[in-house]
Amino acid sequence: MTTPSVEDKLRAAAYAAHVQVPDVFRIYDHLRTGFITRSQFLRCLDQSFKLQLNNKDESYLWEQYGWQKPDQINYAELSKLISCNFDPSKFISRPEEQGTQEQTARFVKQFNRQTLSANSERKCLEILRRCKNFCQGHGIDVRSCFQDFDKHREGRVSEYQFYRCFPGPSNVSEADLRLLAARYYDNRTRSYDYIKFQSEILNLGKLSTILTVPYRIEIYIAYILILDAHGIRTTDFFKDYDKHHNGVITENQFLCGLSLVCGPYLTLTRDERQILVDNFKQSNQRVRYREFCSKMENPFVDPDLEVKPLSITYQPPKGALARPAVQLTEKEDMELHRIISEIGNTVRKRRLLLYPYFKDFDKKSGFSRSITRDQFARALQFISIALLPQDLQLLYKRFEHPKGKEIDYTAFIQAVDQEFIASTQDSISSKFPKKEQPKAVQTLTAKSQTSSLDDLIARIKHILLTNRIRAFESFTDFDTLRCGSITENRFRMGLSNMGFSSMGKYNLAESEFKSLCKHYADPNRQQHVLWRCFMDDVDQVFTGKELEKTPSTVVAPSETALLPRLGATNWNNVEDRRKERLNAILHRMKKNIEQRRVLATPFFRDFDKHNHGHVTSFQFRQCLTYMGLHTSDEELQIIEEKFADSEGFNYVEFLQVVQPEKRDQPTYATRLNARNIDQFSTNPSDGFTSHSTEVRQLIDSLKSKVMKERIRVSEFMRDYDRLRSGRLQRATFRRALDLCRFGLNIDQYNLIENTFLSTQQEGYVDYVRFCDEIESAITVKGLEKDPLAEVSQFSVSRDVIHNELTREEQQLLQSVMTKLAERVRQRRIQLFPMFEDYDRVRNGNVSKSQFRRVLSMLALDGAVSEHEFAVLAKKFIHSVGGRSDIDYVTFSDCIYDMCGFEWRKP
């Protein structure tokens, strides 16, 4: 091997460091003269090339490139020679055939090569395999372990940093680590190449997992399930033995920690414990407990997944984690099949939901789907399933986990209930009936491959009509230019907004979508759809287009677009005998519901969470059981044949037959016609006879209401009299009185209108005269012209005046009031202060006991007997808020009037 020149050494160093030679020296040449000093040149070689030259090489470079200027070297000429990939003076051979770059790379390889023996190479490969297993098991990235010390990202670290950041198992001895470090040592840079270390680990190939023995897999799976069910952290039981925190402990310490972890939940034999120890034992007879805990706590997930989002995690095959079934003898298997069949028949007849009963006992920290024996027996007792002790022991033996000693209730429910699916793997005996697979999602048409386009559009029209969906709002946002054409993807999104997608309520098959795109394809633009043409076709179900131009066009009713339910049976083609059988079944159910007064709708709505009017077949049978409507399987099949469709059982139509809603007939038109007849009747004697006493009572009641509520009737009337004529039509007059909220009936309206008819114009009412009469309760009109006139205050009439008494009671009341008035007049008694002390809300009423107490305090109870008091109470009783009190205000006014006192001044 020839000795390389100084230029070859510089070229090899530049090639290995991946640097541009002129850029390195140009940092110190601010004027771009091509010369730098000797100290600057040596500094560049040390910092950028990681190269230290001896005195002989320095003298050679100084003689060749430093003779032009004193104390300076021509780096520009040296850089051209080092960075050149071919010799420009050789015109005979082509540049790519000179091989300057290949020779440089070959020299770099020879310059950095470390000579290891064959045994050392094989030992290094074994160490690399162990490192790869460790990195894959813990999710370690080799490069990220060293990059914290490699600030310039050169791919090299020092010896101390390589030992400190070594990402390997703890069972690698110091000699093995020193041998591995020698493999990646770079003599030129005096550092260790961790990039090469990472690439060799990745290129070793995928190493098979440790769990290769089936028996060992069962141990791990049982262990993992116990940890997950009880929320156990295995590291807490081992770290107390690891005083130096290096991840290894002795074999006895590992067995002690393993027994603490298992506790009463899992029993391991001596052979099983020894398998775990041998799997994680090192050459120095210590056990790597930290690696064991990592595998147990993170069995199927990478703990550092956020750092490596693209890494592929191991996913066990379907059914691999299923608990192994206990093998039974042939006799026990037959007996178990008999017990399962009996329980299954009971569950099917009574339509029981077993899962909630057993799930209530599964209250552990992890959802393990397992309960104890006592809880299993108690759940069976709750649902009234009585079993013999030997039968119960056989169920325990079949569904009990061999390690945890708990019952897998989901496997039991799956065996006895055909509607329940615990897992896709059939872990139950093959003699048990298999579960039905869920049905595929129905498309818009029953046969999407053979259905025509007209049937598809007709079905879409039916859905838009029944759900009142507007197609324009679903597509207009995607057509920003309003050109009526959008892409196929946006057309699919618009259909999805309308609910026609696999995620929506109505599934649209791919063939159906392609047929729509082909029919409404834009001839001027590829892969575009004329959505406006589609919208015009489907919106015809609501109304025609441009009807204002052709008003005489006859529009077909919307009901013609209604189609039968998708997947429903055409009941017209069914035999008459089957129809009669169905009518008899429905009639019997209807009579049963009417006699027992059962409200059936809530039972179905509890299962219909989304209120789309359908439930499953099993839910329908469950509702019938809740309502007590017991029917046979044949009768249920007939009912489902009538009301079932592709979405399920249509319970809305079923309830319309067995429990129809009683809808009130609309009476608005009838009442409006009757009111119009009475409103425009001009004969005042029709239906009512006018008398002066009746008019006076009505006017007094209106005055009392105006006096109490301070209503100005003239303001409501004046709004309808634009010309200020003082007259209003009958209908307008009634409308104004309605705004006053007098609460008058038809007869009272007629009485007032006939009393205040206008003499100037027929059919009009003189509202000014009516307002003056009503508002005289507040004041007298024209006081500014007669200021000396005396005005009497209007007394509000009380409701007690209308209390009717018999003739004997009227005579007895008159005598009692005369005696009380005489005593009050003689003694000049004030009645109001005593009554007002008990009337805290000031509504003019007191209770009967309070009224009697006031009479006793005023020494008036001696003049009133029990019978006379009952007559007084009957006369002055007044209902307020549902209570019958006595109106003491009217009573006091009557007494004062009989005494001849001034108004409320004794």
Side-chain angles (χ1 to χ4, degrees), residues 90-222:
K90 296 181 180 180
F91 295 98
I92 300 175
S93 60
R94 298 177 62 86
E96 59 269 13
E97 296 176 354
Q98 294 182 10
T100 306
Q101 193 172 13
E102 296 180 1
Q103 295 175 1
T104 304
R106 192 183 306 115
F107 170 73
V108 171
K109 184 176 181 182
Q110 295 177 359
F111 185 74
N112 294 327
R113 186 177 63 181
Q114 299 294 328
T115 57
L116 296 176
S117 62
N119 294 331
S120 299
E121 289 287 347
R122 286 195 298 269
K123 196 168 185 179
C124 286
L125 291 178
E126 182 63 27
I127 298 173
L128 288 176
R129 290 192 183 96
R130 291 162 59 187
C131 292
K132 181 172 184 179
N133 290 336
F134 183 80
C135 293
Q136 286 183 347
H138 292 76
I140 297 175
D141 186 13
V142 179
R143 178 175 293 185
S144 61
C145 296
F146 296 96
Q147 281 183 347
D148 293 338
F149 295 98
D150 186 14
K151 296 183 179 180
H152 300 287
R153 298 299 186 265
E154 296 177 349
R156 299 176 183 86
V157 292
S158 64
E159 181 180 4
Y160 173 75
Q161 293 170 352
F162 185 83
Y163 290 155
R164 180 179 179 182
C165 302
F166 176 69
S170 57
N171 57 353
V172 179
S173 62
E174 185 178 355
D176 295 341
L177 186 58
R178 192 179 299 110
L179 177 63
L180 190 65
R183 179 181 177 85
Y184 303 104
Y185 180 70
D186 191 352
N187 290 329
R188 180 181 56 82
T189 59
R190 293 181 177 86
S191 60
Y192 294 84
D193 191 355
Y194 68 87
I195 299 296
K196 184 179 178 182
F197 173 61
Q198 181 199 20
S199 63
E200 289 187 355
I201 286 182
L202 296 177
N203 295 330
L204 279 176
K206 296 183 178 179
L207 197 62
S208 58
T209 180
I210 298 176
L211 305 179
T212 56
V213 183
Y215 184 66
R216 190 180 301 173
I217 293 176
E218 294 180 2
I219 297 175
Y220 282 137
I221 291 175

Side-chain angles (χ1 to χ4, degrees), residues 14-81:
Y15 180 81
H18 302 284
V19 296
Q20 296 291 335
V21 180
D23 297 338
V24 173
F25 297 106
R26 196 177 293 130
I27 297 175
Y28 298 97
D29 185 15
H30 299 287
L31 301 178
R32 298 299 185 266
T33 60
F35 292 88
I36 57 176
T37 63
R38 181 174 183 175
S39 62
Q40 292 173 348
F41 178 76
L42 295 177
R43 188 182 303 170
C44 290
L45 293 181
D46 183 41
Q47 292 181 354
S48 301
F49 293 89
K50 306 295 183 183
L51 184 63
Q52 294 180 1
L53 301 177
N54 52 27
N55 296 330
K56 183 179 179 180
D57 294 338
E58 290 182 9
S59 301
Y60 171 77
L61 290 177
W62 201 256
E63 291 176 359
Q64 292 293 329
Y65 306 99
W67 58 272
Q68 297 179 1
K69 290 185 179 182
D71 296 334
Q72 289 188 353
I73 189 170
N74 190 353
Y75 75 89
E77 185 178 354
L78 178 62
S79 299
K80 290 180 181 180
L81 182 61

Side-chain angles (χ1 to χ4, degrees), residues 32 40 83 90 184 371 582 619 648 686 735:
R32 298 299 185 266
Q40 292 173 348
S83 60
K90 296 181 180 180
Y184 303 104
I371 56 179
L582 175 66
Q619 292 172 349
D686 290 342
R735 191 176 297 117

Side-chain angles (χ1 to χ4, degrees), residues 224-282:
I224 291 170
L225 291 176
I226 292 298
L227 297 181
D228 182 67
H230 300 279
I232 300 174
R233 298 186 61 183
T234 56
T235 311
D236 298 339
F237 296 89
F238 294 99
K239 65 181 182 180
D240 293 337
Y241 299 106
D242 187 11
K243 302 299 182 181
H244 300 286
H245 301 286
N246 56 2
V248 293
I249 55 178
T250 63
E251 182 177 348
N252 292 331
Q253 292 173 348
F254 182 79
L255 292 176
C256 292
L258 192 63
S259 61
L260 292 175
V261 173
C262 297
Y265 308 112
L266 182 64
T267 303
L268 297 178
T269 63
R270 179 178 298 179
D271 296 336
E272 293 172 348
R273 292 196 298 268
Q274 189 62 36
I275 289 174
L276 293 177
V277 172
D278 295 340
N279 191 21
F280 298 96
K281 185 184 290 186
Q282 298 182 158

Side-chain angles (χ1 to χ4, degrees), residues 333-602:
D333 200 0
M334 295 176 60
E335 185 66 20
L336 178 66
H337 179 65
R338 180 190 62 81
I339 298 172
I340 293 297
S341 301
E342 292 178 358
I343 297 177
N345 294 333
T346 304
V347 171
R348 185 172 59 258
K349 290 180 181 179
R350 295 170 57 191
R351 300 185 180 92
L352 298 174
L353 290 177
L354 300 180
Y355 186 71
Y357 291 97
F358 292 93
K359 187 181 178 182
D360 291 340
F361 293 100
D362 192 5
K363 300 295 185 181
K364 304 180 183 65
S365 58
F367 185 57
S368 62
R369 294 190 173 189
S370 60
I371 56 179
T372 62
R373 289 187 173 188
D374 296 338
Q375 293 172 348
F376 183 79
R378 194 181 306 169
L380 292 178
Q381 185 180 4
F382 283 163
I383 56 181
S384 301
I385 296 180
L387 296 176
L388 297 177
Q390 56 270 24
D391 296 342
L392 196 59
Q393 292 296 328
L394 187 57
L395 289 178
Y396 292 160
K397 185 177 180 181
R398 175 62 182 83
F399 298 103
E400 191 175 43
H401 193 267
K403 298 294 182 182
K405 301 301 181 182
E406 290 188 346
I407 307 299
D408 187 2
Y409 64 88
T410 57
F412 168 74
I413 299 174
Q414 185 175 0
V416 300
D417 192 357
Q418 296 182 0
E419 299 291 335
F420 182 79
I421 299 177
S423 61
T424 55
Q425 185 190 22
D426 190 8
S427 59
I428 315 301
S429 177
S430 60
K431 295 183 179 181
F432 300 147
K434 295 183 179 181
K435 307 298 177 293
E436 298 179 358
Q437 297 296 331
K439 297 182 179 180
V441 181
Q442 296 289 339
T443 56
L444 285 182
T445 54
K447 298 180 180 180
S448 59
Q449 300 297 334
T450 59
S451 60
S452 63
L453 181 65
D454 296 336
D455 296 339
L456 177 60
I457 295 178
R459 177 61 57 181
I460 293 176
K461 289 182 180 180
H462 169 77
I463 295 174
L464 296 183
L465 178 62
T466 54
N467 295 276
R468 313 302 297 179
I469 300 175
R470 298 184 62 184
F472 177 79
E473 297 177 353
S474 301
F475 292 100
T476 183
D477 292 338
F478 298 107
D479 188 9
T480 55
L481 301 179
R482 301 297 187 267
C483 61
S485 177
I486 57 178
T487 61
E488 292 183 358
N489 293 333
R490 292 189 174 184
F491 183 69
R492 185 190 291 272
M493 295 172 65
L495 292 175
S496 179
N497 292 338
M498 297 166 61
F500 299 103
S501 64
S502 58
M503 298 295 293
K505 188 176 181 181
Y506 309 100
N507 183 28
L508 186 67
E510 185 67 22
S511 58
E512 296 172 344
F513 175 74
K514 291 296 183 182
S515 60
L516 287 176
C517 293
K518 183 178 179 180
H519 182 71
Y520 295 102
D522 190 352
N524 300 325
R525 306 172 69 183
Q526 294 183 356
Q527 296 183 353
H528 279 67
V529 181
L530 299 174
W531 69 272
R532 283 191 177 274
C533 297
F534 170 76
M535 183 194 67
D536 295 340
D537 291 343
V538 297
D539 279 351
Q540 290 180 0
V541 69
F542 298 109
T543 183
K545 188 178 182 181
E546 297 180 353
L547 287 179
E548 65 277 2
K549 298 180 181 179
T550 57
S552 60
T553 303
V554 179
V555 180
S558 301
E559 288 75 10
T560 57
L562 295 177
L563 298 178
R565 302 190 310 272
L566 187 62
T569 305
N570 190 0
W571 203 248
N572 296 326
N573 301 331
V574 180
E575 299 178 358
D576 296 337
R577 181 174 58 84
R578 200 170 184 83
K579 292 181 181 179
E580 294 176 357
R581 181 73 182 279
L582 175 66
N583 294 332
I585 296 171
L586 295 178
H587 180 71
R588 186 187 67 200
M589 289 184 175
K590 183 177 180 181
K591 290 298 182 182
N592 193 344
I593 291 175
E594 290 178 355
Q595 292 175 2
R596 297 169 54 223
R597 299 182 182 275
V598 178
L599 189 59
T601 305

